[in-house]
Amino acid sequence: MKITVIGAGAIGLLTSGYLQKAGHEIQLVTRTKEQAEQILLKGLSYKREEETLACRVAASPIHLSDMNWADLIMVTVKQPQLPSVMNDLKGKVPPDTPMLFLQNGMGHMETIEQTFHNPLFVGVVTHGAMKTSPVEVKHTGIGKIIVGGKKEWQPLLLELLTGDDPFSIEWSDDTTRMMEKKLLVNLVINPLTFIYQVKNGELLKDSRLKREVYAIFKEGASVLGFEENAWEDVMGIIQQTRENQSSMLSDRKAESITEADAITGYILNRAKKSGKTCPKIQELHDEVKHIEGENENA
Ligand SMILES: NC(=O)C1=CN([C@@H]2O[C@H](COP(=O)(O)OP(=O)(O)OC[C@H]3O[C@@H](n4cnc5c(N)ncnc54)[C@H](OP(=O)(O)O)[C@@H]3O)[C@@H](O)[C@H]2O)C=CC1
Ligand SMILES: CC(C)(CO)C(=O)C(=O)O
């Protein structure tokens, strides 16, 4: 399958590497001309434990990329970058080209559906990935990608779902629940790792942090309607990605806008609609926004 991956960050580089290895042809779309040139010159490499895998992929900056080439377009930019990417893609993607969106958080698909009437898919990623240079990514935690969309479009994605271990892609018939489960994970991990500037695994090592993790889990699970047994799943993903620097902590280090509005902000809105209060999540949200504001003004 010919796949255009938009966003050559941690997830874009990781998925491009593994999908190319699984036999797909990749066009990697960057924001800058400089990154595309480096990828063309050096290829990309993805590192898992002691093993480094390298591959060659096509690359071009978004304003020069051909959106007619691919059988599938995967969008792996972060939530705050989606509006600009959507704007760049408007009128350029053929109406029957399937598009798969792999963002953390919720709320984005409603906006995307208003602009694109293509076969749309949404996915969640539980891998840990850290970009270590414009052409290199470290696979810091093995998870999976779960995707979903309208059932009648599932056959379109079947070819993609044949990814090799440890890069498996699964289909979900219930995208809302799939996204809510991932939202609960990000709610618990991302803001705390951002605030305390620790790797995911530290959340389980430090007893004070673990208590905070549980308090956030309780509030989030109540808003999203999860039972106590969801705790095990959340713990499992923290454990799997213990060596990862969460994507929100990466934002702090890069002084970029975070995905807080689509994670803590989304939960707070949803709680408000159902008359619930989430003091702990409110506190976290305010703290992340405060630090983000300080970075912006620096
Ligand atoms: N990293 C992780 O471990 C995980 C991340 N996720 C989620 O996956 C999504 C992607 O995250 P991640 O890969 O970490 O993020 P990164 O910030 O590493 O990557 C985003 C990439 O998008 C690029 N980009 C921004 N604007 C444009 C544009 N207009 N055109 C083309 N490219 C653009 C950025 O380029 P530039 O750098 O030049 O600005 C950057 O390379 C997020 O929603 C995140 O929450 C989910 C699970 C795990
Ligand atoms: C899976 C996890 C928690 C990995 O760190 C992630 O989604 C993120 O960093 O945003």
Side-chain angles (χ1 to χ4, degrees):
M1 194 189 266
K2 289 179 177 169
I3 305 173
T4 291
V5 177
I6 302 179
I11 296 300
L13 290 171
L14 190 79
T15 48
S16 296
Y18 279 110
L19 289 171
Q20 205 259 13
K21 181 168 163 258
H24 300 290
E25 216 181 320
I26 306 294
Q27 168 182 244
L28 193 43
V29 173
T30 60
R31 184 178 60 81
T32 63
K33 178 168 122 308
E34 290 73 21
Q35 191 186 9
E37 283 169 358
Q38 290 216 38
I39 295 169
L40 288 174
L41 192 69
K42 300 178 183 164
L44 65 86
S45 70
Y46 49 114
K47 195 171 178 182
R48 193 178 71 239
E49 292 171 350
E50 294 315 309
E51 193 185 8
T52 302
L53 297 142
C55 69
R56 294 261 163 203
V57 296
S60 51
I62 192 155
H63 62 282
L64 295 179
S65 298
D66 176 9
M67 295 300 157
N68 291 295
W69 174 82
D71 302 313
L72 170 73
I73 294 179
M74 278 174 63
V75 181
T76 60
V77 301
K78 282 185 167 154
Q79 289 270 357
Q81 302 146 359
L82 270 178
S84 132
V85 168
M86 294 296 94
N87 210 32
D88 284 339
L89 296 184
K90 226 188 294 169
K92 293 194 186 145
V93 179
D96 53 351
T97 303
M99 300 173 82
L100 167 61
F101 291 83
L102 292 182
Q103 280 68 40
N104 276 341
M106 282 184 81
H108 52 297
M109 290 313 288
E110 287 77 352
T111 318
I112 290 163
E113 276 161 9
Q114 284 165 16
T115 316
F116 292 95
H117 304 290
N118 298 56
L120 296 180
F121 299 94
V122 64
V124 295
V125 181
T126 58
H127 290 281
M130 266 166 72
K131 179 175 155 187
T132 48
S133 88
V135 297
E136 290 166 319
V137 62
K138 233 168 134 178
H139 193 179
T140 46
I142 294 173
K144 53 186 165 187
I145 296 184
I146 312 175
V147 299
K150 286 206 180 115
K151 193 77 184 153
E152 76 240 39
W153 291 336
Q154 185 184 0
L156 279 175
L157 271 201
L158 274 185
E159 220 185 308
L160 186 72
L161 303 178
T162 56
D164 289 348
D165 209 35
F167 198 73
S168 62
I169 301 184
E170 289 176 9
W171 178 264
S172 164
D173 283 328
D174 187 348
T175 49
T176 305
R177 211 53 181 156
M178 164 190 94
M179 291 175 84
E180 286 172 346
K181 267 192 194 161
K182 183 66 203 305
L183 181 66
L184 188 60
V185 168
N186 290 120
L187 179 73
V188 164
I189 299 178
N190 293 27
L192 282 179
T193 53
F194 172 96
I195 292 167
Y196 294 106
Q197 302 194 64
V198 292
K199 284 189 179 173
N200 297 0
E202 290 303 309
L203 299 180
L204 300 183
K205 282 193 202 151
D206 179 298
S207 55
R208 187 179 58 88
L209 277 179
K210 198 169 174 188
R211 274 197 302 278
E212 284 208 56
V213 164
Y214 189 65
I216 297 160
F217 165 81
K218 287 296 275 181
E219 287 187 3
S222 154
V223 174
L224 296 170
F226 284 105
E227 304 290 334
E228 188 65 30
N229 57 12
W231 174 243
E232 293 307 318
D233 294 342
V234 173
M235 290 300 99
I237 294 179
I238 301 182
Q239 196 55 35
Q240 264 166 33
T241 61
R242 60 189 175 278
E243 287 307 321
N244 201 39
Q245 164 178 295
S246 78
S247 56
M248 202 177 269
L249 176 52
S250 297
D251 288 331
R252 180 163 185 177
K253 297 199 168 162
E255 300 189 0
S256 324
I257 307 281
T258 70
E259 296 181 304
D261 288 341
I263 300 176
T264 38
Y266 174 89
I267 293 276
L268 291 170
N269 277 334
R270 200 145 143 188
K272 200 167 158 194
K273 283 185 193 145
S274 56
K276 292 192 166 140
T277 54
C278 299
K280 190 71 214 161
I281 296 173
Q282 184 71 59
E283 202 183 294
L284 275 182
H285 183 74
D286 294 345
E287 177 76 15
V288 172
K289 290 304 227 181
H290 176 73
I291 297 170
E292 202 178 81
E294 278 182 342
N295 282 343
E296 254 183 298
N297 297 329

